[in-house]
């Protein structure tokens, strides 16, 4: 600043351009700072008052306890096993086809399929699918996997589907495979659900070694999870980078191996694990009362029944369908499920579970009716002639030996059945045996009178191996010795018909005949119950064919979570944990 003389002679102060600019900038800075301060206050207030919610975040490890340890991890054996082998295979492998929740065979790695003349099956693979090592899946892998099952060196291995040896396998192009059977066989499609193996990894291993030796060192499949760590006490799996669909929220899954079921429960109590692979009926009540575990149940596809040997001369009463019906009327199956199974079952009116596509709801049902049972026994001439409490006829008492597996649950079921029959004048003597002894010493040689058995009816409903008259002798499984010409004809036609609607109708007729004849007494379909820690959220299992399918919704499960503004939650976000309702920071 400097002074100058005005025309009137008075001094005047003048401001230089630089000083004027500096003064102007100071005002601008002051205004800007004031604005920023106001904005901070506004934003802070908004942050302080906008509601927020918890949403899933990625991370965490889900740990499940199982009794036992895996043995083979080969997809062929996993289909016929239960426990951790089956669980792991369901996560590691995929087949051309898979089972849906109603036991129907639907595409998996296949994009589509068709069948002509009941014999020629053509499968089109989905494009851009990859093994867990990143190599593309092609028809060559399908041909390799199925050709292994045709290898002559496997002919002496029991349990392998011999049907594969008669199938012609052709590669039509990179994504198309054709399988030709010597004759129509509708249940064949079930075999295409077996997990496939990558040819570029396993083609140099002899077929017998590949099938009979464990796939150690982290087997490669096409499933959603890949084994990244394997030891004597656990297996760790992580999401495959090449699996289609959304990546799981949870970073990894571990199966922890324990010597027995009690040790699994102890591991859960010690917070070593988050999941109980199976909860047994005796533990349902105590587990349901805990606040740190969620329970999920599904009806199993198998069934428990009393198998009756209609050809055993020591039990002539089993040859009369009226007496077999009377035995079923005399069983209070609802009470049996409530008391012996802690509610873990549903009454079986058919050999097929109610959720199965082949189940018929028109099947005759037998309620608990001891009066009707007594009436049927009386009409057939079986009365208590000597007052000893046991019905008899021509000097033969209505009494038989019933084999039961030698564990507490099956003993209790057997005792409940025997008590119910005693009320209507029938005596059943229980004989506990081991499972292997039951099969080898009694069922196969047909030397039993009655046996409490459980059957696994997964996938195709074909009852031919268990109930067709051609299976009574030799290696067949018609242990009851039941013969019915009409039922035979229905089973024969159904296994040659690929049209599902026609098969359903045939099996509806078959189920009605079976319910009338009752060569075995269906008791219940067991419930599979699964336990998960409450720290794991959004667990859903729905109906299952096998317990191994419980991880079908695993990508949506989560352990970790984060808080975000309520108006910024993505549309496809899973539900928040219980109690994690929107809240404001000012609450």
């Amino acid at each position: 600043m400097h002074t100058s003389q005005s025309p009137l002679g008075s001094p005047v102060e003048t401001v230089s351009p630089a000083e004027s600019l500096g003064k102007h900038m100071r005002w601008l800075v002051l205004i800007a700072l004031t604005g920023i301060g106001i904005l901070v206050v506004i934003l802070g207030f908004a942050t302080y008052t906008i509601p927020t919610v918890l949403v899933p975040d990625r991370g965490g490890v889900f740990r499940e306890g199982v009794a036992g340890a895996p043995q083979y991890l080969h997809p062929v054996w996993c289909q016929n096993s239960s426990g951790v082998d089956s669980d792991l295979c369901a996560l590691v492998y995929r087949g051309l086809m898979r089972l849906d929740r109603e036991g129907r065979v639907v595409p998996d790695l296949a994009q589509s399929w068709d069948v002509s003349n009941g014999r020629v099956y053509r499968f089109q693979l989905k494009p851009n699918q990859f093994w867990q090592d990143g190599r593309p899946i092609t028809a060559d892998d399908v041909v390799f996997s199925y050709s292994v099952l045709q290898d002559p060196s496997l002919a002496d291995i029991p349990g392998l589907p011999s049907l594969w040896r008669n199938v012609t396998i052709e590669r039509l192009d990179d994504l198309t495979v054709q399988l030709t059977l010597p004759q129509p066989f509708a249940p064949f499609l079930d075999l295409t659900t077996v997990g496939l193996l990558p040819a570029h990894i396993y083609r140099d291993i002899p077929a017998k070694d590949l099938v009979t030796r464990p796939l150690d060192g982290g087997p490669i499949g096409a499933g959603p999870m890949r084994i990244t760590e394997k030891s004597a006490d656990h297996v760790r799996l992580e999401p495959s980078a090449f699996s289609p669909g959304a990546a799981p929220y949870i970073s990894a899954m571990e199966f922890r191996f324990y010597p027995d079921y009690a040790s699994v429960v102890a591991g859960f109590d010690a917070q070593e694990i988050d999941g109980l692979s199976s909860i047994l009926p005796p533990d349902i009540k105590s587990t349901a009362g805990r606040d740190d575990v969620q329970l999920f149940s599904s009806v199993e596809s198998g069934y428990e029944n009393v198998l009756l040997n209609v050809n055993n001369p020591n039990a002539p009463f089993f040859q009369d369908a009226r007496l077999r019906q009377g035995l079923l009327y005399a069983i209070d199956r609802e009470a049996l499920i409530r008391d012996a199974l802690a509610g873990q079952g549903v009454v079986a009116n058919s050999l097929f579970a109610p959720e199965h596509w082949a189940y018929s709801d028109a099947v005759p049902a037998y309620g608990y009716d001891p009066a009707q049972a007594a009436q049927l026994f009386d009409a057939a001439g079986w009365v208590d002639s000597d007052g000893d409490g046991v019905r008899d006829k021509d000097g033969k008492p209505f009494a038989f030996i019933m084999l039961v597996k030698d564990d507490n649950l099956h003993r209790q079921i057997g005792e409940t059945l025997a008590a119910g029959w005693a009320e209507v004048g029938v005596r059943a003597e229980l004989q506990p045996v081991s499972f292997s002894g039951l099969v080898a010493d009694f069922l196969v040689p047909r030397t039993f009178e009655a046996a409490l058995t459980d059957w696994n009816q997964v996938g195709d409903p074909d009852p031919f191996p268990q109930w067709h008259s051609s299976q009574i002798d030799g290696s067949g499984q018609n242990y009851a010795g039941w013969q019915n010409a009409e039922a035979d004809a229905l089973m024969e036609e159904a296994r040659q018909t690929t049209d599902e609607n026609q098969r359903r109708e045939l099996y509806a007729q078959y189920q009605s005949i079976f319910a009338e004849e009752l060569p075995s007494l269906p008791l219940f379909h067991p419930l599979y119950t699964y336990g998960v820690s409450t720290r794991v959220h959004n667990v859903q299992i729905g109906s299952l064919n096998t317990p191994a399918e419980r991880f079908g919704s695993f990508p949506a499960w989560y352990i970790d979570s984060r808080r975000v503004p309520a108006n910024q939650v993505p549309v496809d976000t899973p539900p928040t944990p219980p109690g994690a309702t929107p809240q404001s920071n000012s609450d």
Side-chain angles (χ1 to χ4, degrees):
M1 182 178 69
H2 65 279
T3 60
S4 63
Q5 193 71 26
S6 73
L8 298 177
S10 59
V12 176
E13 294 184 353
T14 62
V15 179
S16 69
E19 290 176 302
S20 176
L21 180 60
K23 188 174 183 180
H24 180 69
M25 291 298 296
R26 285 194 294 271
W27 275 105
L28 290 177
V29 171
L30 179 60
I31 293 171
L33 291 174
T34 302
I36 291 173
I38 294 172
L39 182 60
V40 168
V41 171
I42 293 173
L43 292 176
F45 180 75
T47 302
Y48 187 69
T49 58
I50 289 177
T52 62
V53 294
L54 286 174
V55 297
D57 200 4
R58 302 200 180 276
V61 177
F62 176 74
R63 307 156 301 169
E64 180 169 302
V66 296
Q71 297 187 21
Y72 291 106
L73 289 183
H74 192 287
V76 169
W77 297 121
C78 291
Q79 283 202 320
N80 299 315
S81 67
S82 59
V84 68
D85 267 292
S86 179
D87 295 339
L88 288 169
C89 285
L91 294 165
V92 173
Y93 303 111
R94 292 170 65 194
L96 273 182
M97 309 290 279
R98 64 176 178 83
L99 296 178
D100 70 5
R101 294 187 182 278
E102 295 181 328
R104 185 178 288 104
V105 182
V106 297
D108 192 357
L109 289 174
Q111 176 172 270
S112 61
W113 66 279
D114 61 72
V115 58
S116 57
N117 301 321
R119 300 173 46 248
V120 182
Y121 291 78
R122 181 173 296 184
F123 299 89
Q124 184 76 26
L125 286 167
K126 297 172 186 173
N128 300 317
Q129 297 186 105
F130 303 92
W131 298 106
Q132 292 163 352
D133 63 357
R135 293 281 292 271
I137 299 172
T138 71
D140 293 327
D141 299 303
V142 182
V143 172
F144 164 74
S145 296
Y146 293 159
S147 296
V148 167
L149 301 177
Q150 296 184 318
D151 193 285
S153 66
L154 305 182
D156 60 342
I157 300 179
L160 284 179
S162 59
L163 176 64
W164 279 113
R165 292 195 282 274
N166 299 317
V167 177
T168 300
I169 305 171
E170 300 175 81
R171 175 193 183 278
L172 301 186
D173 59 43
D174 282 350
L175 296 177
T176 310
V177 174
Q178 182 169 289
L179 308 176
T180 304
L181 310 184
Q183 59 189 22
F185 183 63
F188 168 73
L189 198 60
D190 218 44
L191 299 184
T192 63
T193 63
V194 65
L196 301 180
L197 293 171
H200 68 275
I201 292 179
Y202 298 109
R203 65 160 52 97
D204 294 330
I205 301 177
K208 195 160 190 175
D209 291 344
L210 183 60
V211 170
T212 60
R213 294 181 182 177
L215 295 181
D216 293 325
I220 298 297
M225 305 291 286
R226 178 175 180 176
I227 294 177
T228 59
E229 189 175 305
K230 185 174 181 289
S231 68
D233 62 357
H234 80 283
V235 163
R236 180 183 177 94
L237 303 99
E238 296 179 5
S240 170
F242 302 97
S243 179
Y249 285 104
I250 296 175
S251 299
M253 175 190 297
E254 289 184 1
F255 287 92
R256 304 283 181 89
F257 310 140
Y258 292 87
D260 49 46
Y261 177 75
S263 300
V264 175
V265 176
F268 188 88
D269 292 337
Q271 298 185 359
E272 297 171 354
I273 54 177
D274 310 298
L276 296 161
S277 59
S278 178
I279 299 176
L280 304 181
D283 299 305
I284 288 294
K285 186 174 182 180
S286 60
T287 307
R290 301 176 59 145
D291 58 7
D292 60 347
V293 64
Q294 311 164 74
L295 299 185
F296 304 89
S297 294
S298 174
V299 178
E300 294 192 31
S301 55
Y303 60 93
E304 189 91 10
N305 74 134
V306 179
L307 200 61
L308 307 175
N309 189 342
V310 300
N311 293 323
N312 191 315
N314 294 326
F317 30 77
F318 290 153
Q319 298 174 11
D320 190 333
R322 294 172 299 172
L323 300 183
R324 300 195 295 265
Q325 293 172 4
L327 290 173
L328 188 54
Y329 274 124
I331 303 172
D332 188 347
R333 291 179 288 174
E334 294 284 1
L336 171 68
I337 292 169
R338 183 186 64 244
D339 299 335
L341 276 76
Q344 298 302 289
V346 296
V347 170
N349 295 317
S350 169
L351 305 183
F352 308 144
E355 290 82 2
H356 198 281
W357 66 264
Y359 175 77
S360 171
D361 55 12
V363 174
Y366 292 78
Y368 176 52
D369 192 342
Q372 178 67 17
Q375 183 177 335
L376 289 168
F377 295 151
D378 290 342
W382 289 86
V383 297
D384 183 7
S385 63
D386 55 9
D388 65 350
V390 179
R391 295 174 180 271
D392 57 82
K393 183 179 181 179
D394 299 332
K396 174 70 176 179
F398 200 153
F400 56 90
I401 296 174
M402 184 169 69
L403 306 172
V404 298
K405 288 193 290 187
D406 56 356
D407 59 71
N408 292 334
L409 177 60
H410 286 88
R411 286 172 185 259
Q412 186 175 357
I413 294 172
E415 290 168 358
T416 302
L417 296 176
W421 288 328
E423 293 292 324
V424 293
V426 176
R427 184 175 73 236
E429 179 183 343
L430 302 186
Q431 181 178 333
V433 294
S434 66
F435 173 71
S436 59
L438 172 65
V439 175
D441 300 334
F442 297 98
L443 297 184
V444 171
R446 278 68 168 172
T447 56
F448 70 101
E449 296 175 8
L452 179 62
T453 63
D454 36 39
W455 290 89
N456 193 17
Q457 185 71 44
V458 177
D460 194 273
D462 179 28
F464 188 101
Q466 289 82 37
W467 295 111
H468 193 272
S469 61
S470 66
Q471 305 301 301
I472 292 176
D473 299 320
S475 59
Q477 295 178 312
N478 187 349
Y479 303 129
W482 180 51
Q483 300 184 63
N484 182 287
E486 186 178 358
D488 279 356
L490 290 168
M491 286 185 277
E492 291 165 10
E493 185 177 355
R495 64 180 357 209
Q496 297 182 51
T497 302
T498 57
D499 182 270
E500 183 180 296
N501 291 328
Q502 293 180 27
R503 293 190 81 199
R504 184 185 293 110
E505 174 57 31
L506 293 169
Y507 284 136
Q509 296 177 51
Y510 165 80
Q511 290 170 78
S512 293
I513 294 173
F514 192 95
E516 181 74 20
E517 289 278 308
L518 290 179
S520 79
L521 311 179
L523 299 178
F524 57 83
H525 302 286
L527 287 184
Y528 165 70
T529 300
Y530 183 45
V532 181
S533 168
T534 51
R535 85 182 192 100
V536 185
H537 307 292
N538 201 39
V539 179
Q540 302 174 33
I541 64 170
S543 58
L544 308 174
N545 293 289
T546 66
E549 295 177 354
R550 64 188 179 276
F551 299 113
S553 64
F554 181 74
W557 302 8
Y558 65 95
I559 296 174
D560 294 343
S561 57
R562 57 191 173 91
R563 191 168 289 280
V564 301
N567 60 358
Q568 296 181 16
V569 177
V571 175
D572 58 350
T573 299
T576 55
T581 53
Q583 68 177 45
S584 168
N585 292 336
S586 61
D587 292 342

